[in-house]
Amino acid sequence: MEKYDYIEDAILTVDEGNVAKKNKPVALSLALLVLGAVVLYVGIALQAAAGEILSSLLLMVGLVVMVAGLTLLVVKKGGYVYVPTGKELKKYKLYIAPDKSFKLQQVLRDGTYGELSALRQPNASNSTVVVFLSEDGEYALLQVLEFVPYNDVPTTPVIVCRGEAARALAAAVKG
């Protein structure tokens, strides 16, 4: 059995120059941190002048805003963008019924990606098709993973789809 790279590891190199990493937005996070700090400062400054209730309220609001900014800064991940259109790639997982493995191989070989919707299973399965699809449905990357105890292992190389094939895959993913 051949060894393939995971789609997340190969996404930037499989279709050279067409996919780029999108940096996470930090402007909103930093703005919330600064706003929270300002509200905290005002709350501390008003503590002696205005009284306990107003300053306590401002301190709480400032802390909540700062925590929200810090959370956005730490948690928000960057994504991937299809460079020619500038559209973001969204990740989807399709779970394939175990008895449909042969049909899945036929679909991949023939490029009839629209038929994937008939192979889907609502719950987790031993076969998973990982798809990165552009927002406009004109570009997609896909790879099949099979569960081998404790890990999902790639069983196909990353497949690049454009145009009609990508639209058919988008219909199967979203349908």
Side-chain angles (χ1 to χ4, degrees):
M1 187 166 134
E2 255 183 271
K3 186 172 177 148
Y4 299 106
D5 289 335
Y6 286 92
I7 192 167
E8 287 88 357
D9 297 336
I11 194 167
L12 296 174
T13 58
V14 72
D15 195 17
E16 201 66 44
N18 283 320
V19 177
K21 190 155 181 72
K22 182 177 97 171
N23 295 328
K24 62 182 180 180
V26 294
L28 177 63
S29 304
L30 293 177
L32 286 174
L33 282 171
V34 169
L35 179 65
V38 168
V39 172
L40 269 176
Y41 177 76
V42 170
I44 292 170
L46 288 178
Q47 194 168 14
E52 284 292 313
I53 295 175
L54 181 60
S55 66
S56 296
L57 178 66
L58 287 173
L59 289 173
M60 292 298 289
V61 168
L63 282 174
V64 167
V65 171
M66 283 186 74
V67 167
L70 188 60
T71 302
L72 274 177
L73 189 63
V74 172
V75 173
K76 183 72 176 170
K77 294 181 180 178
Y80 297 101
V81 176
Y82 179 48
V83 174
T85 62
K87 300 291 184 182
E88 186 174 350
L89 296 177
K90 205 170 171 192
K91 183 178 181 180
Y92 297 91
K93 285 187 177 183
L94 303 173
Y95 298 105
I96 305 300
D99 60 332
K100 306 287 185 185
S101 183
F102 180 73
K103 181 67 175 162
L104 174 62
Q105 294 304 319
Q106 280 184 324
V107 166
L108 294 177
R109 186 179 56 247
D110 299 341
T112 54
Y113 303 114
E115 295 178 22
L116 282 175
S117 58
L119 306 178
R120 291 176 76 170
Q121 177 173 314
N123 300 329
S125 175
N126 67 329
S127 291
T128 306
V129 179
V130 178
V131 179
F132 279 89
L133 180 65
S134 67
E135 293 170 331
D136 59 1
E138 291 294 319
Y139 183 80
L141 299 168
L142 72 109
Q143 183 176 47
V144 178
L145 304 175
E146 292 222 3
F147 184 76
V148 177
Y150 312 115
N151 269 338
D152 281 327
V153 178
T155 58
T156 65
V158 177
I159 300 168
V160 179
C161 301
R162 290 184 180 84
E164 190 58 43
R167 285 189 290 277
L169 183 58
V173 166
K174 295 178 180 179

